[in-house]
Amino acid sequence: MSFPSSVDVAIIGAGAAGLGAAHALRGCGLSVIVLEARDRLGGRAWTVQASPEVTFDVGCGWLHSADKNSFVPIARQLGFELNKDLPPWRERAFGNAFPQAERDDFMRAMDAFYERLWEAAQKGRDEPASLSLEAGNRWNPMIDAISTYINGCELKDMSTLDWDAYEDTGLNWRVRRGYGALVATYGAPCPVALNCNVALIDHSDKRLRLETSQGTLTAAKAIVTVPTNLIAEEAIRFSPQLPAKVEAAAGLPLGVDDKVTLALDDAEAFPKEANLRGATMRTDMGTYHIRPFGQPCIEGFFGGSFARELEEAGDGAIAAQSIDEIAGFLGNDIRRKLRPLYESRWAHDPLARGSYSHALPGHAGDRAVLAAPVDGRLFFAGEATSPTFFTTAHGARDSGERAAKEVLAALGKP
């Protein structure tokens, strides 16, 4: 679309939040544009064809809390097939790297940790989640590894109250064609300017002035949906400055979760949808999904400080670590059957700088601070502003819809 000089509502970011806002404003008689710095829709939702046989979600892949996930009805409406198979992370262990008796012992320790965490939250303690670990428990390093998968960070950096606020109904589905493909299709009807980076939002005058890589435009209202790290690091600036927003964003940093997919030769010799991980007794470990959707591949998943270290080691380091660890579990012969296809490096993505948000200890209240409108003209959305579904694509989408309703209320529109 042609780049306008003036609109009623400018939406910054064409991830799930920005697209949710744009959809909610359709048919309202307002001129709207979504400004997206990338050359594609979806943000941290991104599906690639890693090989002719393997579809890979580089970003989000699970429709968490599927019974409350707003992308479920959207998927059905758009003709995307949903997969309702049980996720592999508790069931369907493969190999002998993590014997069942040890898995059972680990799960008992994990459940006891969750109970202590819940009890601490009921007392209103916004403390590091690591304080709920049982001193000396042999499984503590692996419990910490699970936190890196869930939160993108270790337990010492995770707010107990924030963890408790997250709503998980336990129902996790997938999109066969890819979650990223679903989000991109959802956004296709929206008015989007791609390759349009917003550097400054000047709200000193009656109308907002946005400086972008495609020129300057003015708007009556703006919805900001960029990741918290970009606000905290002032990659997008406000004039006058908004120190409360910058501080809240800094209290909600993006952790790191990275994924890799490896082509698997002789795939029929391996079970579909199997889980592989070992009783490694360390936090620096991956977890592996064998033949997702029956595809001839193994997906690896890494989180927290270990994922950051692997990213720092350069392209290919995540795949190399995965192959080494899988060989350690299944034997060296597996190496000749594995070939790297695609890996994410979200911390090194300049437009994300991480994967999804977690509240630092003492900062659980920052989600509400970040979500609050400013002067009835600046509105904020994104997964980090969701009170209960943060870290998820549907939480982001719903927050965009919420921000759009706030815009309409400010304009006096029903």
Side-chain angles (χ1 to χ4, degrees):
M1 63 174 295
S2 60
F3 192 74
S5 61
S6 176
V7 293
D8 293 321
V9 185
I11 301 169
I12 297 92
L19 300 176
H23 268 275
L25 292 172
R26 292 178 74 188
C28 295
L30 300 172
S31 57
V32 176
I33 189 167
V34 183
L35 308 174
E36 171 54 51
R38 300 183 189 275
D39 60 1
R40 60 173 179 82
L41 304 178
R44 288 166 279 168
W46 183 24
T47 304
V48 300
Q49 197 67 39
S51 78
E53 301 84 17
V54 176
T55 301
F56 179 53
D57 269 317
V58 185
C60 55
W62 291 91
L63 291 94
H64 296 298
S65 300
D67 51 338
K68 294 190 175 183
N69 189 311
S70 57
F71 271 117
V72 168
I74 291 169
R76 289 176 173 144
Q77 179 186 356
L78 295 176
F80 278 73
E81 175 191 346
L82 296 173
N83 180 287
K84 302 180 183 180
D85 291 346
L86 284 174
W89 46 77
R90 272 196 183 232
E91 295 86 9
R92 299 197 294 279
F94 176 71
N96 299 315
F98 203 167
Q100 189 61 51
E102 291 198 338
R103 287 176 74 94
D104 291 344
D105 191 38
F106 169 67
M107 290 314 306
R108 282 191 291 269
M110 189 80 189
D111 290 341
F113 163 73
Y114 283 143
E115 181 66 23
R116 290 190 297 273
L117 194 67
W118 180 82
E119 290 173 355
Q122 302 321 297
K123 297 173 182 176
R125 298 178 185 169
D126 196 0
E127 62 188 19
S130 55
L131 295 182
S132 291
L133 290 169
E134 181 185 32
N137 190 291
R138 66 185 290 230
W139 296 111
N140 284 350
M142 280 193 70
I143 293 174
D144 215 8
I146 299 300
S147 174
T148 70
Y149 306 151
I150 296 173
N151 306 304
C153 68
E154 284 75 9
L155 292 167
K156 65 180 177 59
D157 297 321
M158 182 69 207
S159 156
T160 291
L161 290 186
D162 195 54
W163 190 319
D164 185 64
Y166 179 75
E167 184 175 350
D168 181 7
T169 69
L171 206 59
N172 300 283
W173 297 348
R174 285 173 295 168
V175 183
R176 180 62 187 89
R177 286 159 54 193
Y179 207 156
L182 169 61
V183 174
T185 302
Y186 171 67
C190 299
V192 180
L194 297 174
N195 301 300
C196 184
N197 185 65
V198 178
L200 173 71
I201 301 176
D202 185 341
H203 57 109
S204 61
D205 209 343
K206 184 175 180 181
R207 283 183 65 80
L208 306 172
R209 183 174 61 86
L210 284 71
E211 293 185 2
T212 85
S213 56
Q214 291 193 24
T216 300
L217 79 157
T218 65
K221 314 288 182 186
I223 300 175
V224 180
T225 76
V226 301
T228 55
N229 285 3
L230 299 188
I231 297 175
E233 297 166 24
E234 298 189 84
I236 181 170
R237 295 181 296 112
F238 299 93
S239 179
Q241 294 181 332
L242 297 177
K245 295 296 185 185
V246 173
E247 184 177 340
L252 301 167
L254 266 58
V256 181
D257 281 294
D258 280 314
K259 299 161 73 175
V260 63
T261 184
L262 308 168
L264 176 64
D265 292 341
D266 192 22
E268 294 301 321
F270 296 83
K272 298 177 182 179
E273 306 286 8
N275 172 254
L276 175 65
R277 66 173 184 240
T280 60
M281 306 305 177
R282 66 176 185 266
T283 303
D284 294 353
M285 60 176 287
T287 184
Y288 302 94
H289 189 173
I290 300 174
R291 298 188 63 198
F293 298 116
Q295 299 179 125
C297 65
I298 297 179
E299 283 187 8
F301 195 84
F302 298 85
S305 299
F306 191 39
R308 289 185 188 276
E309 291 172 15
L310 291 172
E311 285 201 29
E312 290 295 332
D315 287 335
I318 295 174
Q321 171 65 30
S322 298
I323 293 171
D324 285 346
E325 195 164 25
I326 292 169
F329 295 150
L330 302 182
N332 247 1
D333 286 349
I334 191 73
R335 291 181 182 274
R336 61 183 175 82
K337 298 183 179 182
L338 296 173
R339 176 171 47 87
L341 291 176
Y342 208 101
E343 65 183 30
S344 68
R345 297 180 73 217
W346 285 109
H348 278 73
D349 183 323
L351 300 176
R353 307 187 189 185
S355 300
Y356 38 69
S357 67
H358 62 277
L360 296 171
H363 290 268
D366 285 354
R367 297 197 186 279
V369 175
L370 186 61
V374 174
D375 297 333
R377 294 187 301 155
L378 284 174
F379 302 83
F380 293 80
E383 55 86 10
T385 70
S386 173
T388 58
F389 287 132
F390 43 87
T391 76
T392 70
H394 72 282
R397 195 217 69 85
D398 296 351
S399 75
E401 190 172 86
R402 179 263 305 155
K405 291 177 179 177
E406 291 171 348
V407 166
L408 293 174
L411 290 170
K413 288 181 171 285

